[in-house]
Amino acid sequence: MQKLGKDHKTPWRKVHEKIGLSPAELARVMGRHRSKISRALGNSEGLISGRDQLLLMKAARERGIELSADDMLPERR
């Protein structure tokens, strides 16, 4: 599998951008450590675990932001 550049939108990057919180704020809202969020955002695949998907959906819902299944899936190439 080829390495993807920072401009590629991984699921974590798409959701992070859509929610609009800093990594530290998102970590607080999700009850996760900031380093976990930073690592996830920097990962070239950026896949979101099932538990994190639930936490992200809850955080988005509390802010009136709608997340779709497509937001949590890798882009097709």
Side-chain angles (χ1 to χ4, degrees):
M1 180 179 273
Q2 74 184 39
K3 293 274 182 183
L4 302 173
K6 289 282 184 187
D7 59 333
H8 176 73
K9 294 248 179 137
T10 65
W12 264 105
R13 291 181 194 139
K14 288 191 291 187
V15 171
H16 176 253
E17 185 177 289
K18 198 164 188 179
I19 292 177
L21 297 175
S22 73
E25 292 169 326
L26 185 58
R28 254 190 312 279
V29 167
M30 292 177 66
R32 297 290 204 198
H33 196 275
R34 181 183 46 82
S35 64
K36 189 247 189 291
I37 304 302
S38 295
R39 278 192 314 272
L41 290 170
N43 185 291
S44 64
E45 291 183 24
L47 300 176
I48 305 173
S49 73
R51 173 138 174 84
D52 287 341
Q53 286 183 18
L54 293 174
L55 293 170
L56 287 165
M57 288 170 58
K58 181 180 178 209
R61 188 173 41 250
E62 289 172 352
R63 282 155 187 73
I65 300 165
E66 189 174 323
L67 290 180
S68 68
D70 286 339
D71 294 325
M72 302 219 189
L73 295 173
E75 292 179 347
R76 294 181 188 214
R77 289 194 153 217

